Each structure stands twice: as structure tokens, then as C-alpha cells.
Amino acid sequence: MLTRMIRIRLFESALIECQKSGEIVGSLHTYIGEEAVAVGSCVALNDDDYIAGNHRSHGHPIAKGGDINKAMAEIFGKRDGYCKGKGGSMHLADFSIGILGESGIVASSVPVATGAALASKLKNEEFISLVFFGDGASNQGACHESMNLAALWKLPVIFVCENNQFAVTTSYKDSVSVDHISDRASAYGIPGVLVDGQDALAMYEATSEAVDRARSGEGPTLIEGLTYRYEDHSLGLASVRRDQSYRSDEEVEKWKKRDPIEVLKSNMIKQEIITQKEFDQIEEKEKIAVEKAVDFARKSPFPAPEELYDDLFTDPIEYA
Ligand SMILES: Cc1ncc(C[n+]2csc(CCOP(=O)(O)OP(=O)(O)O)c2C)c(N)n1
């Protein structure tokens, strides 16, 4: 878990630099500060369980064990990327390890994961699915419809709401009618669990319980991981540039003091599971891996213009 959280942090930090230098174009939604939610959840799953994500989804595939070379190349828009450079930052799918992919349409992955869980049930398969979505997404109709149906049909799906407390600049306190998003679970008759999203172990434990429920046919669970986004909502989007008036510097600093990597690291050092030196070694190894990923992405070619329509449709259509 520690390794994967460090990998996500360094991956995102490298992306910020490459976006600043102009090597990456388009918008980027970084996951820095929220790493424990994805990692704690994903390590409770098997490789053939499915996950789906959203626009803030570089961390999810990395947490599931995805290939950072392919992820980096995709975000660079290069041919060796996960979707041959045509999906970009919000589309890092890898079916071989259960990553169904993501979508920039807020809340749209919630019914996708619910559909995957329905497929598992109809086919009498063992796999389950888990979807990550934000506090903003939790207000969307697609989210409520999916939870209702999943509860009614006892589908093996886990709903993980990453409550990073803001939808762009709107606080969840101004847009959610209950104190906690997890409180909504009672309306569907399913368990709702509020978890410290800065604590990877707590996320792991809550998800493991939900996995047991899902696999034994008891249906879905709603988990709310209370967390915080350190960076701006998005990089590279002119409309949300640098507006920090919706939150104070003190608040950001307060949350950084409970950094998810530090929380796990200090816990492990205290319990003598790891030494500072070993931590430094992991960090160094991941730094090299991320540098290699950037290099891999830089060297990969852009897709050729004539490949533009390839892989878009199940049955390719002819163009005059
Ligand atoms: C259906 C839809 N509405 C609006 C948007 C614009 N939009 C992109 S991200 C975002 C905020 C989403 O907030 P949240 O779900 O809390 O996720 P977070 O960005 O905080 O991780 C909005 C409104 C969109 N992409 N899709």
C-alpha cells in the first residue's frame, strides 16, 4: 500500500511538471492527497474484480496495479498509451487487471460498475465491481438510480465516494442534504460506512468487509472516504484557474498535516514494520520508475492522423 501510494504521488507530481512545461496539453485532475482511498480499496480486490473511475482517475488504475508507462504515455497522448493516446487523462482502461476505465461525465461510471456487477450475477461469476466517484457526483441522478437498483437486486458492487469536500469550488456542506454522504445508504437499505480517507488501513478494512458482503450475495455497500484534494480542481482548464477563494490556506495546511502517506509510514515505523531508510529506498525506486515512465512517454510517437477513427467503434465504418 505504501509503495503504491508513493507511486501515485510521484506520478502526479511528474505530471504537474510536464503540464507546466507544455509537454502535456488539456486538463489534468490530480489525485494528490487522496491516495489512501484508492489504494486501501484496491488492495482489498482481486485482479479480476472490476473498478471504474471518473475524471480524477490517475490514482485508481495505479492503485489496482496498472502500468505507469502506459498510463503516462496515454496522458501525453502517445501511441504506446493505454488507449493508444486517443483517450488522454480521463481514459486509462486496462481490462486485463479489471480496470474498466473512466469518464469525464460526472457520475457516469456509477451505472457502468453497477452493470458489471449485474453481469457477474447473471453469469454466475465470482467477480465483483467497485466504483470511485466524488461528493459532487453523489448528487447526480445516475448515482441514486444505480444504488437503488443495486440494492434491490443485491448486486456485488461497492460504491466508494471520495469525499474530497469540494465539487470544483462548491463545498459538499452547501450541496448535500445530510451530514454525511454515507448516511444516504439507509435510504437504499444498504450499509453506509464513513471512513477516515487519509488512513489506508481503515479504507482497506471497510472495503474488505464490503467485498465479503458482495461476494456472499448480500449486495452493495456505500463507503464514504473523507479526504482532501491538495491541488487545484484541475490544471489546464482556464475556467477554474487558480481560484482558491473557496477554501483557506489554513484549511489546506491542516489537511496536509494528516497526509495519507505520512499516516501509514509513521504507523509502520512505530510498529517497527519498516525503517526510515527502507522508506527512503522505496521512494527512490519509485522515483526512478516514474522518471522512466516520463522518458517512455516522451519517446513514444503520436498516433498517426489516419488512425484517428481506429478503435472507436465495435464495427469500423468506412470513410469516404
Ligand atoms: C455531468 C457533468 N456535469 C458537470 C461536469 C463538469 N465537472 C467536471 S468535474 C466536476 C466536479 C466534480 O466534483 P466531484 O464529483 O466531487 O469530484 P472531484 O472533482 O471533487 O474529485 C464538474 C462539475 C461534468 N464533467 N459532467
Side-chain angles (χ1 to χ4, degrees):
M1 286 202 283
L2 196 58
T3 303
R4 288 192 185 178
M5 287 207 290
I6 294 169
R7 189 174 299 157
I8 295 169
R9 176 73 53 98
L10 295 173
F11 183 91
E12 296 288 49
S13 304
L15 283 183
I16 293 173
E17 292 310 310
C18 296
Q19 203 271 344
K20 278 187 194 151
S21 70
E23 282 179 286
I24 295 175
V25 292
S27 70
L28 281 183
H29 301 77
T30 64
Y31 199 62
I32 297 177
E34 305 182 36
E35 294 92 343
V37 179
V39 173
S41 302
C42 284
V43 294
L45 300 175
N46 296 334
D47 274 357
D48 57 0
D49 290 330
Y50 286 115
I51 62 163
N54 58 2
H55 54 285
R56 195 176 302 289
S57 263
H58 307 148
H60 304 141
I62 298 175
K64 189 84 169 39
D67 179 332
I68 59 169
N69 287 346
K70 285 187 182 172
M72 189 66 82
E74 187 58 44
I75 298 167
F76 269 68
K78 299 295 190 72
R79 192 190 275 163
D80 296 304
Y82 264 131
C83 298
K84 301 185 186 170
K86 290 181 247 173
S89 160
M90 295 183 223
H91 303 98
L92 307 174
D94 184 350
F95 292 175
S96 72
I97 49 168
I99 302 165
L100 282 174
E102 306 86 28
S103 163
I105 310 296
V106 168
S108 65
S109 298
V110 186
V112 171
T114 305
L118 175 61
S120 175
K121 187 158 181 159
L122 291 177
K123 290 173 159 179
N124 249 332
E125 300 262 5
E126 288 288 301
F127 70 83
I128 63 171
S129 70
L130 181 152
V131 59
F132 297 102
F133 57 98
D135 41 290
S138 79
N139 295 329
Q140 292 280 74
C143 196
H144 297 285
E145 291 170 42
S146 301
M147 288 181 191
N148 180 56
L149 206 69
L152 185 69
W153 291 347
K154 293 202 182 313
L155 301 182
V157 54
I158 301 168
F159 300 106
V160 178
C161 180
E162 304 179 299
N163 185 0
N164 66 11
Q165 312 188 37
F166 299 96
V168 191
T169 55
T170 304
S171 166
Y172 80 103
K173 291 176 185 155
D174 295 331
S175 62
V176 174
S177 62
V178 280
D179 288 342
H180 303 292
I181 291 159
S182 51
D183 293 345
R184 287 174 167 166
S186 62
Y188 310 113
I190 62 173
V193 199
L194 177 63
V195 182
D196 175 0
Q198 304 308 88
D199 182 347
L201 275 175
M203 281 304 302
Y204 171 74
E205 277 160 20
T207 311
S208 298
E209 244 179 71
V211 166
D212 289 345
R213 269 180 56 78
R215 279 202 219 286
S216 60
E218 289 173 65
T221 302
L222 169 61
I223 297 171
E224 173 185 1
L226 191 64
T227 181
Y228 206 79
R229 141 172 79 70
Y230 290 0
E231 301 293 323
D232 287 354
H233 166 74
S234 161
L235 298 176
L237 264 188
S239 57
V240 288
R241 197 181 293 146
R242 300 264 145 225
D243 174 13
Q244 290 288 348
S245 57
Y246 63 97
R247 60 183 192 178
S248 66
D249 291 346
E250 292 75 41
E251 183 181 295
V252 178
E253 288 314 309
K254 191 190 100 191
W255 277 89
K256 283 186 177 174
K257 287 206 178 92
R258 281 213 72 242
D259 183 81
I261 297 177
E262 283 302 316
V263 168
L264 185 60
K265 175 189 151 188
S266 57
N267 200 341
M268 290 173 79
I269 289 180
K270 215 179 290 162
Q271 293 188 50
E272 297 183 8
I273 298 168
I274 197 175
T275 61
Q276 178 66 46
K277 196 172 158 208
E278 283 165 333
F279 175 85
D280 293 342
Q281 284 165 348
I282 297 173
E283 201 173 41
E284 190 51 32
K285 207 170 142 211
E286 290 306 317
K287 216 172 136 199
I288 293 167
V290 169
E291 279 166 6
K292 279 193 181 153
V294 172
D295 199 43
F296 177 84
R298 282 184 178 140
K299 287 188 178 136
S300 173
F302 283 108
E306 56 272 21
E307 293 165 17
L308 183 63
Y309 294 106
D310 292 351
D311 307 309
L312 290 186
F313 303 100
T314 311
D315 301 306
I317 53 174
E318 295 294 325
Y319 297 94

